[in-house]
Amino acid sequence: MARRKRPSREKQASSLASLPPELLDAITSYLPPSALHNVSLASKALATYIRTHAWKAFAQSRFVSTCPSTSTSWPRTARTLCTLSQAWDRRALVARVIEPKDGGILVWPAGKREDRWRKPRGQTIGFTPVIDVKESEEGGGRRAETLVWSAGAQVVIRERAWKEEEGEGREEKVKWECYAPVGASEGRDDVTALHLLDGQGMQDPGVRLIVGTAAGKLEEVSLPGKAGDQVGRRVFPTEGGSVRSSSLHQSIAGDSLLAAQLGDSSISLYAFDDSQATIMANSKVDINGGHTASAKQQPRAWSVKLLSDTQLAVGTGPSTHPIKVCELLPTGLSTTHVRHFSVKDTFERLASPSPASKVVNSVYPIVPLPATTTACHPSLFLSGAYDGWVRLHDLRSSQDVVRSYIDPTDDSGVYSLLARGQESVIVGANSQSRLKIFDLRMGMKGYHYLDSHARPQPTQSARDHTLFLRVLDHRKDSAVYNLASASRSSPHIYAGISASVLELAVTEAWHPKPDPVYFEKFRGGKTWNGWRAGEVLELAGYEIESQARQRLMVQSGLHGRPQSGGKSITGLDERWWVK
């Protein structure tokens, strides 16, 4: 009787790789990151499949609203999303104040280098920063970030470029620039609107900006890549109206749309591309057009936001319906296709003493919720109001408010919002440099860093919480005027408070293996990722609970907790402690 030959070890090892792709997709979709890595070690075929398909599927299915649409390396992207999610769950933040470093600051339009940054001196309470930031991925571990913010009448630009060297850390280069028009006066010519135009990156050494001022100037400024070249300008005529706020929408095709609030109630819409020398407004409306009330009783506009290339939202107040969403037609802004939103949800209506009572409120920031990997309808947006509430609205719903988020211990107004996909929203309050983080997922999480371990129910780290951005030698009471991040998957957040801009790195400073794309391991010296250890702020915060109870938490510096420090908090970053 002939004996059957046993399959070779090589054939046994490759049997999983021989499965149809749809079965491999189904199997690997259940695996945590550590198991995916182990499977990739089984054979070359599986390693190729995991690298080119499984990591992309993992990132898009577990991080449906924070995953980028494209990537030059899906294994790197998946690692960044996992480490960032863990840092958020553990409330791991490293914060500092940033400003131009001494030495070699390129100043425009003169095109000369200066040794020191000249801080604004004309404001009585400090300048109000407006911030924008973009990041580009060039492949091979190379990345570039351009950060701009307003400081009175000038614009500060920081350009960073770095490359991840496998096993050798990160190599980073930083360049500082400043721009202020000739003759600009602090206060009168303060920058009130600021946008970065696409095109910044390693292949484009110049920086293109849209700058609006309190004096009524609105222009595109093109800063050249080297000293001695001329600054380019294109004008958006405003008819002298002070630029109060603006919103920019750029398409992949290169066409751009700019909405600008001019004065208290006028909204102008500009459609432009690179071929125009002067960009005229193709539409202009007054939000109070048709109102019969006196000028003092009419609401004013506080902000404008392009929800998409077909819809514009305007935050107004005081008003019973402080949100207006206008349709954008080929002829411009529609004055008839307008939906008015109140900010009174069902719970408030039930608690109201009288069904006919009118609630007057003002809405300041409005931000759209980014689309997910499975849906792209621009229907959801968030608003922040004078009463301290953050509200979720859905254009598809007949209800004006779908859901509300509130800190029962603080009713200070909301001045800024930053949506982190559809997972959480970061809220800037108008007092005590207070930053609030609300979870939007209602307990539904696509990924948790303890998924591959036996763990109990979700820990307290998922609760909503508040941070105080404590800055040494700074006013104790300041609003968080502006929040910005380069992308939904970026670990860097920038916050503008009175006369300062803060950089918040969402990472565990003491983690033995941080995300090498953005951070290096802290080795206990005087610096961490180019930051001086003494620059790192020691934040404080508390958990937001429904019964208005507070438990104050304090953050230690990079070199450890003081001897008088209390106990660490289970589930949170090691730098957090309570007395």
Side-chain angles (χ1 to χ4, degrees), residues 27-59:
I27 293 170
T28 56
S29 65
Y30 291 95
L31 301 180
S34 58
L36 280 177
H37 172 71
N38 291 338
V39 171
S40 70
L41 301 177
S43 69
K44 289 183 178 180
L46 286 172
T48 301
Y49 167 79
I50 296 294
R51 183 178 65 254
T52 57
H53 297 287
W55 284 122
K56 179 180 179 180
F58 171 84

Side-chain angles (χ1 to χ4, degrees), residues 114-260:
E114 294 188 359
D115 292 332
R116 303 194 68 180
W117 179 47
R118 299 180 183 180
K119 296 182 180 181
R121 300 180 182 275
Q123 290 83 7
T124 56
I125 60 172
F127 61 85
T128 302
V130 184
I131 311 172
D132 198 10
V133 59
K134 288 185 180 294
E135 182 181 313
S136 59
E137 183 182 7
E138 306 295 331
R142 295 181 300 157
R143 290 177 180 265
E145 180 197 70
T146 303
L147 168 70
V148 297
W149 76 84
S150 64
Q154 62 179 299
V155 177
V156 180
I157 303 105
R158 186 189 73 176
E159 297 176 83
R160 294 194 305 143
W162 69 94
K163 181 179 181 181
E164 175 196 354
E165 297 286 356
E166 200 68 41
E168 299 180 12
R170 293 167 62 253
E171 179 185 351
E172 181 174 289
K173 296 181 180 179
V174 180
K175 182 172 68 173
W176 290 96
E177 300 178 61
C178 291
Y179 165 78
V182 176
S185 174
E186 301 291 346
R188 182 194 68 191
D189 297 305
D190 278 5
V191 175
T192 54
L194 183 62
H195 301 282
L196 268 170
L197 290 170
D198 288 338
Q200 279 69 247
M202 298 178 185
Q203 305 302 324
D204 184 3
V207 177
R208 296 171 59 209
L209 309 166
I210 291 180
V211 182
T213 69
K217 289 185 178 181
L218 185 60
E219 58 185 3
E220 178 187 322
V221 179
S222 298
L223 303 181
K226 58 182 179 178
D229 291 347
Q230 296 295 315
V231 175
R233 291 186 180 87
R234 288 199 297 172
V235 177
F236 297 77
T238 63
E239 299 179 2
S242 175
V243 182
R244 300 293 178 85
S245 67
S246 64
S247 180
L248 178 69
H249 182 275
Q250 293 184 269
S251 68
I252 300 176
D255 299 328
S256 300
L257 201 60
L258 177 70

Side-chain angles (χ1 to χ4, degrees), residues 221-412:
V221 179
S222 298
L223 303 181
K226 58 182 179 178
D229 291 347
Q230 296 295 315
V231 175
R233 291 186 180 87
R234 288 199 297 172
V235 177
F236 297 77
T238 63
E239 299 179 2
S242 175
V243 182
R244 300 293 178 85
S245 67
S246 64
S247 180
L248 178 69
H249 182 275
Q250 293 184 269
S251 68
I252 300 176
D255 299 328
S256 300
L257 201 60
L258 177 70
Q261 176 195 341
L262 306 177
D264 286 342
S265 60
S266 179
I267 309 296
S268 291
L269 191 67
Y270 304 85
F272 64 99
D273 55 31
D274 291 339
S275 64
Q276 299 159 268
T278 299
I279 303 153
M280 304 299 297
N282 65 346
S283 181
K284 185 176 181 180
V285 299
D286 192 305
I287 64 165
N288 292 322
H291 279 222
T292 58
S294 64
K296 289 185 178 180
Q297 295 175 327
Q298 290 178 352
R300 60 155 291 179
W302 293 105
S303 65
V304 293
K305 190 67 178 181
L306 287 162
L307 302 179
S308 66
D309 58 355
T310 60
Q311 291 169 323
L312 172 72
V314 184
T316 71
S319 174
T320 55
H321 291 74
I323 301 176
K324 297 184 179 183
V325 177
C326 309
E327 294 292 331
L328 303 184
L329 305 176
T331 55
L333 279 168
S334 171
T335 56
T336 56
H337 296 79
V338 179
R339 179 173 174 183
H340 301 264
F341 286 80
S342 72
V343 289
K344 192 174 182 181
D345 62 15
T346 305
F347 175 78
E348 291 175 284
R349 295 181 192 277
L350 293 173
S352 177
S354 170
S357 64
K358 295 183 178 180
V359 176
V360 176
N361 211 333
S362 294
V363 165
Y364 302 134
I366 295 175
V367 296
L369 278 186
T372 66
T373 54
T374 57
C376 59
H377 193 280
S379 59
L380 298 173
F381 66 94
L382 293 162
S383 68
Y386 169 80
D387 60 3
W389 289 47
V390 177
R391 295 172 173 90
L392 176 65
H393 311 270
D394 191 340
L395 293 170
R396 300 165 297 184
S397 173
S398 60
Q399 296 181 347
D400 287 346
V401 179
V402 176
R403 189 171 176 82
S404 300
Y405 305 89
I406 183 175
D407 178 358
T409 65
D410 175 59
D411 61 355
S412 55

